[in-house]
Amino acid sequence: MEMIVVGNVTFTDRPAGPGRAPFVGTLDQIMDDVRTAAEAGADELIVDLNLQDWFTSTQQMLETAVEIRERAAAS
């Protein structure tokens, strides 16, 4: 059986506090959650950016997705 994690991302302007939910916060905090999922043995991680009203264009959403992928690959 594979472990597939879905991160429903909610970006915030400032770092979320210590009681934050996973995949909520700044991009750096989201990247911490990506690493945590990998360390837990996730076979696949789906980063869901669709619920964001923060994006002003599809291009901005895609650029953010690429940045997350590149930062995860560099970890």
Side-chain angles (χ1 to χ4, degrees):
M1 180 181 292
E2 291 184 346
M3 178 171 42
I4 300 172
V5 176
V6 178
N8 295 307
V9 176
T10 301
F11 287 111
T12 58
D13 292 333
R14 289 181 247 150
R20 76 178 181 91
F23 297 97
V24 174
T26 62
L27 182 56
D28 287 337
Q29 288 179 308
I30 302 305
M31 293 311 303
D32 288 341
D33 296 328
V34 169
R35 283 186 285 282
T36 299
E39 290 168 1
D43 295 295
E44 184 174 341
L45 172 62
I46 298 169
V47 178
D48 187 352
L49 301 175
N50 287 317
L51 300 177
Q52 293 298 303
D53 59 359
W54 180 78
F55 296 118
T56 57
S57 69
T58 302
Q59 184 65 33
Q60 185 183 25
M61 182 177 74
L62 293 172
E63 288 169 359
T64 302
V66 168
E67 182 175 358
I68 291 170
R69 182 188 66 197
E70 288 174 352
R71 289 175 85 174
S75 297

